[in-house]
């Protein structure tokens, strides 16, 4: 029946939890001694106690408390100071790097501004040339023919004066090209171009870096109205400079091997970038009207202006009015980037100098590690000092505690260990000396007390013995025995042997009774 009970379903249910826990313990503590549940349970109890003592400061030893206290006093203020100084250093380094990028962007933006101003002056010079004005102001073909050769000579001279010029041409009021340094431009109609629409209304215009429909080459178009002597607008003079030269000026600016500069126009379209595949991409999706205008006017020579979807960058630099900086996540490099940018004064463009944040982080990480190493070194020194101080304080206290425990348990202790500590002149040495004096006085008082207790016990025993003897001898029975003994002694020697034996028996009974009384008293 006992076997049946042990195999019952109830006992199986009770054993399952233990088996499950046992499996968990086997998995988590594979090196536990033994294989029994009791060994594992005892080990867990030890772990729980160790954990409780570890997270219970009141249970720590005085050496541990002193070590932790000294370390906290040494390391916590230093950690805060180091962290504050490190943050200030990182912020200062980051601000310095951003300032460097801003200065580079401002410097190159100024160069582009100066280039635009110089080219505008040339465009104005061409538009006000007397041969050009005379050619467009001529009312009949004979007069135009008279001015054509001199006008063409003027255009060729201006064009040959600067290798950055791509083409120079003259447009009439209907948008038709009448003269150009490149014959392929003649008779082409450019009425759809924005630079023509602006200048024919009397305003000078500078385009973005757009792609020419005739040449297929990128460039910047400078247009200026041509006025007759009476002030009537008779045409438009256009000077185009090579886009590659603008790109070369922008791309020549690099803060380091991993940095580059780019140019964004007023629409947020990239018009200069070291990576040619990113040219004429917008930072964010353009509004429908600007998208349609750019595609209709064939400004960038692309069928569709694609977006790079970088709103962080677009919000910061498109239409910026002053030099600044920002950081953004680039979906192209898939990294965090930092940029300093500066707007041009002559055009609503913004030039940015870009740098990978990882490149900037490299020296900062080195600075962080240097500070960490310094903190660890100081922490190690502070730890050693704290342990030494804690040991010097805790050692005499432990010796004093051990002596007190021995005094309680064994009524004695080793005075040699305390004698070494008592020579110190600090508070602990004074405490040990007081303890030794107290221990001597306690031992002397204990010896005296023991002697007094022994003397008192003797007196109590004697008094008790007398009192018990008196209690027995004063009884009627004892008195009767004494009387019988006295009568027997009074008998004469003539008494026969039987009487003597009887007397001896009575005397023996009396002695036995007296012996019992003394024994009880003792």
């Amino acid at each position: 029946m006992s076997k049946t009970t042990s195999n019952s379903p109830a006992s199986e249910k009770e054993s399952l939890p233990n088996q499950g826990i046992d499996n968990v313990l086997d998995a988590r503590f594979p090196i536990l001694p033994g294989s029994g549940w009791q060994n594992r349970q005892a080990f867990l109890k030890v772990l729980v106690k160790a954990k409780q003592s570890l997270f219970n400061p009141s249970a720590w030893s005085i050496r541990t408390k002193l070590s932790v206290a000294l370390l906290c006093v040494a390391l916590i203020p230093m950690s805060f100071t180091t962290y504050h100084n490190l943050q200030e250093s990182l912020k200062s380094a980051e601000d310095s790097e951003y300032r460097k990028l801003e200065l580079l962007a401002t410097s190159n933006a100024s160069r582009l501004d100066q280039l635009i101003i110089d080219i505008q002056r040339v465009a104005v010079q061409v538009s006000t040339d007397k041969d050009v004005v005379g050619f467009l102001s001529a009312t009949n073909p004979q007069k135009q023919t008279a001015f054509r050769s001199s006008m063409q000579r003027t255009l060729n001279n201006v064009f040959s004066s600067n290798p950055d010029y791509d083409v120079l041409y003259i447009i009439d009021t209907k948008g038709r090209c009448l003269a150009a340094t490149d014959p392929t431009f003649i008779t082409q109609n450019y009425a759809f171009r924005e630079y023509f629409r602006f200048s024919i209304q009397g305003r000078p215009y500078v385009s973005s870096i757009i792609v020419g429909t005739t040449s297929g080459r990128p460039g910047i178009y400078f247009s200026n109205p041509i006025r007759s002597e009476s002030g009537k607008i008779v045409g438009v003079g256009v000077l185009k400079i090579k886009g590659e030269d603008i790109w070369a000026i922008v791309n020549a600016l690099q803060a380091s091997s991993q940095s580059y500069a780019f140019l964004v126009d007023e629409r947020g379209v990239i018009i200069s970038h070291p990576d040619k595949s990113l040219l004429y991409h917008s930072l964010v999706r353009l509004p429908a009207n600007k998208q349609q205008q750019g595609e209709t006017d064939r400004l960038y020579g692309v069928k569709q202006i694609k977006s790079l979807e970088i709103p962080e960058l677009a919000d910061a630099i498109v239409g910026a009015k002053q030099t600044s900086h920002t950081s953004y996540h680039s979906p192209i490099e898939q990294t965090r980037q930092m940029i300093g940018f500066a707007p041009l004064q002559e055009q609503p463009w913004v030039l940015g100098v870009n740098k990978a944040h990882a490149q900037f982080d490299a020296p900062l990480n080195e600075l962080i590690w240097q500070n960490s190493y310094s903190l660890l070194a100081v922490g190690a020194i502070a730890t050693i000092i704290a342990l030494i101080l804690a040991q010097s304080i805790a050692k005499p206290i432990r010796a004093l505690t051990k002596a007190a425990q021995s005094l309680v348990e064994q009524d004695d202790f080793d005075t040699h260990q305390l004698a070494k500590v008592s020579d110190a002149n600090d508070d602990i040495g004074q405490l040990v000396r007081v303890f030794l004096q107290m221990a001597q006085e306690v031992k002397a008082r204990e010896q005296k007390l023991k002697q007094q207790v022994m003397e008192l016990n003797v007196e109590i025993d004697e008094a008790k013995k007398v009192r018990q003897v008196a209690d027995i001898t004063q009884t009627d029975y004892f008195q009767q025995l004494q009387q019988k003994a006295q009568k027997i002694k009074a008998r004469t020697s003539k008494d026969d042997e039987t009487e003597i034996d009887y007397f001896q028996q009575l005397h023996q009974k009396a002695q036995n009774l007296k012996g019992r009384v003394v024994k009880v008293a003792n």
Side-chain angles (χ1 to χ4, degrees):
M1 291 183 64
S2 60
K3 293 183 180 181
T4 305
T5 305
S6 61
N7 294 329
S8 64
S11 62
E12 292 179 357
K13 291 182 180 179
E14 291 177 357
S15 63
L16 287 176
N18 290 341
Q19 293 176 359
I21 296 174
D22 193 65
N23 293 334
V24 173
L25 289 174
D26 286 337
R28 297 186 63 182
F29 306 99
I31 61 172
L32 285 175
S35 59
W37 169 251
Q38 293 181 351
N39 292 338
R40 288 161 173 75
Q41 192 174 20
F43 183 74
L44 285 179
K45 288 182 180 180
V46 173
L47 290 180
V48 171
K49 290 182 179 179
K51 182 178 180 181
Q52 290 177 348
S53 62
L54 180 63
F55 295 99
N56 184 14
S58 61
W60 294 351
S61 65
I62 188 169
R63 181 177 62 178
T64 304
K65 292 179 180 179
L66 288 174
S67 300
V68 172
L70 291 174
L71 286 176
C72 291
V73 170
L75 295 183
I76 291 179
M78 182 180 177
S79 300
F80 279 110
T81 303
T82 302
Y83 177 78
H84 175 74
N85 293 338
L86 179 61
Q87 292 299 317
E88 291 296 324
S89 299
L90 295 179
K91 186 177 183 301
S92 177
E94 188 175 23
D95 292 341
S96 176
E97 187 67 22
Y98 274 125
R99 182 59 181 165
K100 179 182 177 181
L101 296 177
E102 290 177 5
L103 290 175
L104 291 172
T106 302
S107 174
N108 219 32
S110 299
R111 291 180 59 190
L112 292 178
D113 280 329
Q114 188 60 47
L115 176 63
I116 292 172
I117 292 173
D118 294 341
I119 303 299
Q120 280 180 322
R121 289 174 180 172
V122 175
V124 172
Q125 180 183 351
V126 172
S127 300
T128 56
D129 184 80
K130 63 179 181 177
D131 295 329
V132 175
V133 174
F135 175 78
L136 290 177
S137 300
T139 56
N140 54 66
Q142 291 79 11
K143 290 184 178 181
Q144 282 189 345
T145 303
F147 284 104
R148 179 177 289 276
S149 59
S150 58
M151 179 195 68
Q152 188 66 43
R153 188 165 48 252
T154 299
L155 296 180
N156 291 336
N157 290 337
V158 172
F159 177 75
S160 61
S161 65
N162 193 327
D164 293 336
Y165 298 158
D166 190 298
V167 67
L168 181 61
Y169 54 100
I170 303 300
I171 304 174
D172 64 11
T173 55
K174 295 181 180 179
R176 187 167 56 93
C177 179
L178 301 179
T181 56
D182 185 350
T184 58
F185 279 73
I186 298 175
T187 70
Q188 298 290 337
N189 192 297
Y190 299 102
F192 68 92
R193 284 296 196 185
E194 193 172 16
Y195 58 79
F196 173 78
R197 296 199 300 266
F198 267 79
S199 295
I200 200 66
Q201 297 176 4
R203 294 177 290 174
Y205 180 82
V206 180
S207 74
S208 178
I209 299 180
I210 60 178
V211 178
T213 57
T214 303
S215 65
R217 298 187 299 268
I220 300 178
Y221 293 80
F222 295 82
S223 64
N224 203 70
I226 301 175
R227 300 177 186 273
S228 64
E229 294 181 356
S230 63
K232 181 181 178 181
I233 297 176
V234 294
V236 175
V238 181
L239 174 60
K240 177 186 176 183
I241 64 173
K242 298 176 182 178
E244 290 86 350
D245 295 335
I246 301 297
W247 294 343
I249 295 174
V250 176
N251 295 339
L253 181 64
Q254 289 188 351
S256 63
S257 59
Q258 296 186 9
S259 64
Y260 57 87
F262 62 94
L263 195 63
V264 177
D265 66 8
E266 67 275 12
R267 295 181 179 86
V269 177
I270 298 174
I271 57 177
S272 177
H273 198 283
D275 186 356
K276 297 299 186 294
S277 63
L278 299 179
L279 286 173
Y280 312 124
H281 285 68
S282 61
L283 298 179
V284 290
R285 191 177 302 276
L286 295 178
N289 57 340
K290 291 185 178 181
Q291 179 83 11
Q292 183 178 2
Q293 179 187 3
E295 295 171 358
T296 302
D297 296 346
R298 290 172 286 179
L299 296 177
Y300 307 106
V302 294
K303 294 181 179 180
Q304 183 181 7
I305 302 174
K306 297 181 180 180
S307 173
L308 298 178
E309 299 299 337
I310 314 178
E312 287 181 281
L313 182 60
D315 293 341
I317 70 172
V318 176
K321 301 300 181 184
Q322 60 185 3
T323 303
S324 185
H325 62 267
T326 188
S327 64
Y328 67 97
H329 181 269
S330 172
I332 303 169
E333 290 89 353
Q334 293 295 324
T335 56
R336 196 74 185 172
Q337 305 288 317
M338 56 194 308
I339 178 175
F341 56 88
L344 276 67
Q345 301 301 317
E346 298 299 323
Q347 282 295 106
W349 304 341
V350 179
L351 187 142
V353 180
N354 195 89
K355 183 176 183 179
H357 211 290
Q359 184 184 10
F360 170 70
D361 288 339
L364 296 186
N365 292 333
E366 184 177 355
L367 178 61
I368 292 173
W369 279 113
Q370 288 178 354
N371 281 270
S372 300
Y373 290 147
S374 300
L375 182 60
L376 289 175
V378 174
I381 296 174
T383 301
I384 295 173
I385 295 175
L387 291 176
I388 293 174
L389 291 177
Q391 179 69 12
S392 64
I393 296 174
K395 184 176 180 180
I397 294 178
R398 288 200 307 270
L400 191 62
T401 304
K402 184 177 180 181
Q405 187 175 4
S406 299
L407 185 63
V408 172
E409 296 176 354
Q410 303 176 6
D411 197 21
D412 197 5
F413 61 93
D414 187 5
T415 59
H416 297 290
Q417 296 293 333
L418 294 182
K420 299 178 181 179
V421 182
S422 63
D423 295 335
N425 296 323
D426 55 5
D427 294 338
I428 296 180
Q430 179 66 24
L431 177 62
V432 172
R433 288 191 292 273
V434 172
F435 175 80
L436 290 173
Q437 183 179 0
M438 179 196 69
Q440 292 176 356
E441 293 182 357
V442 168
K443 292 180 68 175
R445 291 181 182 179
E446 185 180 3
Q447 293 295 332
K448 185 177 180 181
L449 182 60
K450 286 183 178 180
Q451 185 65 29
Q452 291 176 350
V453 169
M454 290 177 61
E455 294 176 355
L456 183 60
N457 286 336
V458 171
E459 293 179 358
I460 292 174
D461 290 342
E462 292 295 332
K464 185 177 180 181
K465 185 185 299 183
V466 172
R467 186 174 62 255
Q468 290 179 347
V469 170
D471 290 340
I472 295 174
T473 55
Q474 291 177 2
T475 58
D476 294 340
Y477 179 72
F478 188 81
Q479 294 294 331
Q480 291 175 0
L481 289 177
Q482 278 191 333
Q483 290 177 3
K484 288 181 179 181
Q486 291 296 332
K487 289 180 180 179
I488 292 172
K489 287 179 179 181
R491 289 179 181 178
T492 61
S493 56
K494 294 180 180 181
D495 294 334
D496 55 6
E497 187 177 356
T498 304
E499 291 177 349
I500 294 174
D501 292 338
Y502 178 73
F503 172 78
Q504 289 178 348
Q505 290 177 2
L506 291 178
H507 181 69
Q508 185 66 34
K509 289 182 180 180
Q511 291 296 329
N512 291 338
L513 181 60
K514 187 177 181 180
R516 285 163 51 186
V517 172
V518 173
K519 186 177 180 180
V520 173
N522 290 332

